[in-house]
Amino acid sequence: MARHVVVGACPHDCPDTCSILTTVEDGKAIAVRGNPDHPFTRGRLCVKVNNYQDRTYSEQRLLYPMRRSGPKGSGKFERISWDEALAEIASRWKTLIATDGPQSILPYSYLGTQGILNGLNVGDPLFQQAGCHGVRAHLLRLGLVHRLHDDHRPHAGR
């Protein structure tokens, strides 16, 4: 298969939304570099993305849910199924909500690798359904923010 370049966007949580050029050979990314046509970064990538293909294909990359099987800090884990992982999380959340109320789960999702392309409220519906109101609601109750729905996009209106 021929080598070709795919134009894409960086998946990291950053307001730059960098354009990346990924060189693909035989269906595998072999190089990632910045797109010189990007108006802000002009072909540069940050250190988190410069060797993205190395992390993508690393033997240390987690591909499946893991459960700790030894003492905390021992580094011992066992692979479990997705169904087991989701059932365990749901069970723990239900117990927390039943014993301490939904506010005992403080949803804090700072987009992770969603970036500005996928919006600023990626986990909100899940946590709202469970009755959790998130960091902003807690800050509102503490008087540290003035409105629950302040526009919190990077540099919005500033």
Side-chain angles (χ1 to χ4, degrees):
M1 180 178 257
R3 181 182 287 198
H4 62 283
V5 175
V6 176
V7 179
C10 174
H12 283 268
D13 179 23
C14 172
D16 296 342
T17 315
C18 300
S19 177
I20 60 174
L21 303 175
T22 303
T23 304
V24 178
E25 187 173 337
D26 296 327
K28 183 177 179 181
I30 59 169
V32 174
R33 66 185 189 284
N35 187 341
D37 294 332
H38 188 275
F40 184 72
T41 61
R42 298 183 184 146
R44 291 188 175 90
L45 292 176
C46 70
V47 70
K48 296 181 288 183
V49 182
N50 270 333
N51 298 313
Y52 205 71
Q53 73 281 357
D54 295 337
R55 285 194 319 235
T56 298
Y57 300 115
S58 170
E59 291 181 14
Q60 295 179 350
R61 181 177 172 201
L62 293 179
L63 300 174
Y64 309 99
M66 305 291 280
R67 178 188 297 130
R68 187 173 52 238
S69 60
K72 192 170 186 176
S74 69
K76 296 183 180 182
F77 295 87
E78 63 183 354
R79 181 176 167 181
I80 61 174
S81 72
W82 288 102
D83 287 340
E84 287 175 285
L86 292 172
E88 187 168 321
I89 292 167
S91 173
R92 288 183 183 192
W93 281 19
K94 287 176 184 176
T95 299
L96 284 170
I97 290 169
T99 58
D100 300 313
Q103 294 305 315
S104 64
I105 300 172
L106 180 63
Y108 181 78
S109 58
Y110 190 63
L111 303 175
T113 59
Q114 297 302 307
I116 203 164
L117 294 177
N118 289 316
L120 295 171
N121 57 358
V122 70
D124 291 356
L126 169 69
F127 291 111
Q128 289 171 357
Q129 185 67 32
C132 313
H133 299 291
V135 172
R136 294 191 65 74
H138 287 288
L139 295 176
L140 178 67
R141 280 192 293 284
L142 295 171
L144 299 175
V145 296
H146 301 292
R147 295 184 329 205
L148 184 57
H149 298 291
D150 285 344
D151 188 350
H152 56 281
R153 290 175 290 168
H155 310 294
R158 294 186 183 114

